[in-house]
Amino acid sequence: MREYLKFYIDGQWVDPVTPQSAEVINPATEDVSGTISLGSPADVDKAVAAARAAFASYSQMSVKDRLDLLEAIQAEYLKREEELGEAVMEEMGAPRALACGFHTLLGKGHLGTAIEVLKEFKFEEQRGVTMIRKEPIGVVGMITPWNWPMNQTCVKVFPALATGCTMVLKPPQLAPYSAQLLAEIIDAAGVPKGVFNMIQGKGSVIGEALSKHEDVDMISFTGSEPVGVQIQKDAADTVKRVALELGGKSPWIVLDDDGLAEHVAGATAGMMGNSGQTCSAGSRLLVPNARMDEAKKVAAEAANGVTVGDPKGNFAMGPVVSKSQYNIIQQYIEKGIEEGGELIAGGPGRPEGLEKGWYVKPTVFVGTNDMVIAREEIFGPVLVMIGYDDLDDAIAIANDSMFGLGGYVSGKDLDTCRDLARKMRTGAIWINGAFDFHAPFGGYKRSGNGREWGEMGFEEYLETKSIIGFEPA
Ligand code: NAD
């Protein structure tokens, strides 16, 4: 049983101002796995004051010293990678191989990328008489979701540390463990006091207090679209910068060529990864109408082939994160059936033999883009396959969404893939499964306004200053 009752403020593990705690539930067993403290606005005031005090000196620390710090964190991270993976498995139910694999690898990757980018980043540039300087924005409030906890936390914390910002992190209440370990890692690495602070608690309390705080210069938020809208409103009175990384309903276009079966199978299995709880998941699979029968057979086989079970066992998919997430997904599956979607795999209820734990059947519908299940983010292992007549039709369907986070194109003809990628209105497009830690990641439309990852992830945390006359004319 885990017990994490202290917050990390000003380089110390401290008790909350007003003691209050909450149980954390293991989604695989529905049992209590531990207890955390829930903070109050008074804790936020303390953490922001510590971050503000630390900013004066940390923002002036040399790049070389910041690099040394990040490398010290890297050494501590590597020592505790397995432990981080176990925490992710327990807090949000990812299978051990995924939790100790891709989940922790993403955190490590963002750390390594921050180090690489910092070595080359130009904080000053002379243009004519003007020196253009990039300076850290100040105190950053970071609010993160539970679905890829290490990824979402590390993609914020390390670029912010690299650019000279100080910060207060509020991890998700549903998945608080890995952030607690990360705070221990940062502490062990010797990050100066007050630079990094962490408070657990409710979004409606800690998140709101950070968003409204006079002395917070920026909020970096990853989470759902309605909460992003609320944060922007809460932050408006203090004119702070708000970077939003929100939800998606990402299209995956499969071209009509002899790789179709392989791509449909890969996209279907990919949708079920992390139990479908990925913001950029390819949840709308667009296949040529002329090949729909073949695509249906392949997608059904692929979904039925996804093994579901205890994250500690050797299964491809674990539970979804919580009872409430389970219920929402079930409602969407019922809605899909009600609105005439053709159910070709999965469906309502738990997979056979799994009576306890928030397990969902890998589910595939064939439907149309106007259905609710094709328009709203379900955030579970539910794929909607939609037919297209020609490539213009595919693009029209792909772009007919309020979201614009991710997009995928799979096919043999690279020129066609590139052309489709240029026409899709989303922040990132992956062609044939490529991956790049340096590629900017963020949304168009209701998927947000921020860009994280790599060099652009640094820009989020920087102000631009012009010093005119730095060089005489
Ligand atoms: P959520 O919006 O419910 O919660 C996210 C965080 O916001 C949590 O820490 C929560 O406590 C906090 N919060 C809740 N209410 C708040 C308020 N009023 N003020 C401030 N903070 C508040 O999202 P979730 O369920 O944790 O995560 C799933 C969502 O996150 C999905 O929509 C998913 O697409 C999105 N997401 C986006 C990205 C991206 O990079 N674009 C990545 C991962 C997840």
Side-chain angles (χ1 to χ4, degrees):
M1 197 70 81
R2 293 174 194 258
E3 195 170 82
Y4 295 137
L5 299 180
K6 292 191 187 281
F7 301 147
Y8 188 69
I9 298 178
D10 208 16
Q12 307 284 325
W13 289 98
V14 298
D15 291 322
V17 173
T18 310
Q20 197 196 343
S21 64
E23 290 175 334
V24 180
I25 304 296
N26 181 336
T29 60
E30 300 176 41
D31 294 330
V32 175
S33 67
T35 312
I36 56 163
S37 283
L38 299 180
S40 65
D43 298 300
V44 173
D45 287 342
K46 275 175 69 181
V48 172
R52 173 58 60 202
F55 183 70
S57 57
Y58 188 66
S59 59
Q60 302 303 314
M61 191 187 255
S62 70
V63 166
K64 160 83 177 63
D65 287 349
R66 295 207 300 268
L67 270 173
D68 287 349
L69 260 190
L70 287 171
E71 280 166 1
I73 296 173
Q74 196 175 38
E76 293 298 324
Y77 189 107
L78 292 177
K79 280 188 220 163
R80 302 191 64 183
E81 213 177 338
E82 190 76 19
E83 230 183 298
L84 285 165
E86 294 282 326
V88 169
M89 177 180 77
E90 208 171 301
E91 62 190 358
M92 52 77 67
R96 179 177 270 126
L98 179 65
C100 296
F102 202 45
H103 272 273
T104 52
L105 183 145
L106 283 166
K108 187 168 60 177
H110 291 307
L111 178 50
T113 305
I115 292 170
E116 279 173 40
V117 173
L118 184 56
K119 283 180 181 160
E120 302 293 329
F121 197 83
K122 299 269 175 288
F123 287 95
E124 291 192 345
E125 187 195 342
Q126 188 71 39
R127 280 201 210 163
V129 297
T130 303
M131 163 65 78
I132 299 171
R133 266 175 66 80
K134 301 278 177 158
E135 300 185 343
I137 190 164
V139 175
V140 182
M142 300 175 168
I143 304 171
T144 54
W146 48 262
N147 64 321
W148 286 93
M150 288 312 295
N151 176 57
Q152 309 309 341
T153 309
C154 295
V155 78
K156 297 186 190 310
V157 169
F158 298 130
L161 283 175
T163 49
C165 291
T166 60
M167 64 213 74
V168 180
L169 170 69
K170 193 215 83 68
Q173 202 187 323
L174 286 176
Y177 297 152
S178 51
Q180 196 87 17
L181 297 188
L182 191 73
E184 291 178 13
I185 287 170
I186 288 173
D187 180 54
V191 171
K193 69 179 184 125
V195 170
F196 171 87
N197 305 275
M198 189 218 49
I199 304 174
Q200 304 277 8
K202 292 187 174 158
S204 57
V205 177
I206 306 298
E208 186 185 299
L210 281 169
S211 305
K212 290 184 171 171
H213 207 289
E214 288 275 352
D215 221 11
V216 171
D217 300 293
M218 170 180 175
I219 294 288
S220 174
F221 171 74
T222 301
S224 61
E225 187 251 350
V227 173
V229 170
Q230 185 58 47
I231 287 175
Q232 216 160 19
K233 289 178 182 165
D234 289 341
D237 286 343
T238 49
V239 199
K240 54 174 64 74
R241 183 181 297 173
V242 179
L244 300 175
E245 305 285 341
L246 310 178
K249 195 75 194 177
S250 301
W252 188 318
I253 302 178
V254 176
L255 298 189
D256 186 355
D257 61 33
D258 59 10
L260 178 134
E262 188 193 329
H263 294 314
V264 167
T268 306
M271 179 65 219
M272 309 309 166
N274 212 38
S275 304
Q277 303 164 127
T278 299
C279 52
S280 54
S283 50
R284 293 184 293 144
L285 183 58
L286 275 46
V287 299
N289 271 322
R291 307 276 297 273
M292 184 54 93
D293 287 345
E294 181 187 352
K296 275 194 216 174
K297 192 165 163 285
V298 175
E301 267 171 24
N304 291 331
V306 174
T307 55
V308 186
D310 185 352
K312 291 182 176 154
N314 193 20
F315 297 96
M317 200 176 103
V320 297
V321 73
S322 65
K323 180 179 184 179
S324 103
Q325 194 66 23
Y326 175 87
N327 287 336
I328 291 169
I329 295 165
Q330 294 301 322
Q331 281 163 19
Y332 274 114
I333 293 174
E334 297 291 355
K335 182 76 190 168
I337 294 169
E338 191 188 301
E339 60 186 349
E342 182 188 353
L343 189 61
I344 62 167
R350 289 181 166 89
E352 213 174 311
L354 292 169
E355 271 77 49
K356 216 165 174 220
W358 306 117
Y359 295 97
V360 176
K361 292 177 189 166
T363 296
V364 182
F365 282 101
V366 178
T368 52
N369 202 47
D370 55 357
M371 291 178 174
V372 170
I373 53 167
R375 303 205 76 75
E376 297 183 8
E377 185 183 44
I378 300 175
F379 226 53
V382 181
L383 177 68
V384 186
M385 203 153 65
I386 300 167
Y388 67 80
D389 292 332
D390 56 26
L391 294 179
D392 287 342
D393 192 31
I395 284 294
I397 297 168
N399 288 341
D400 178 15
S401 172
M402 74 177 215
F403 294 110
L405 187 57
Y408 303 78
V409 190
S410 296
K412 298 242 150 114
D413 181 357
L414 192 53
D415 283 339
T416 303
C417 293
R418 288 172 176 153
D419 184 48
L420 293 176
R422 287 193 177 102
K423 290 174 177 162
M424 278 158 103
R425 299 281 299 157
T426 68
I429 322 271
W430 290 269
I431 294 179
N432 291 329
F435 184 83
D436 180 4
F437 270 113
H438 288 269
F441 182 90
Y444 284 23
K445 303 192 250 180
R446 299 272 189 107
S447 292
N449 56 18
R451 287 294 177 277
E452 299 189 306
W453 299 51
E455 194 175 326
M456 271 195 91
F458 274 40
E459 300 284 352
E460 292 243 306
Y461 297 103
L462 294 168
E463 288 280 21
T464 300
K465 176 187 278 177
S466 296
I467 309 178
I468 302 137
F470 192 90
E471 286 292 334

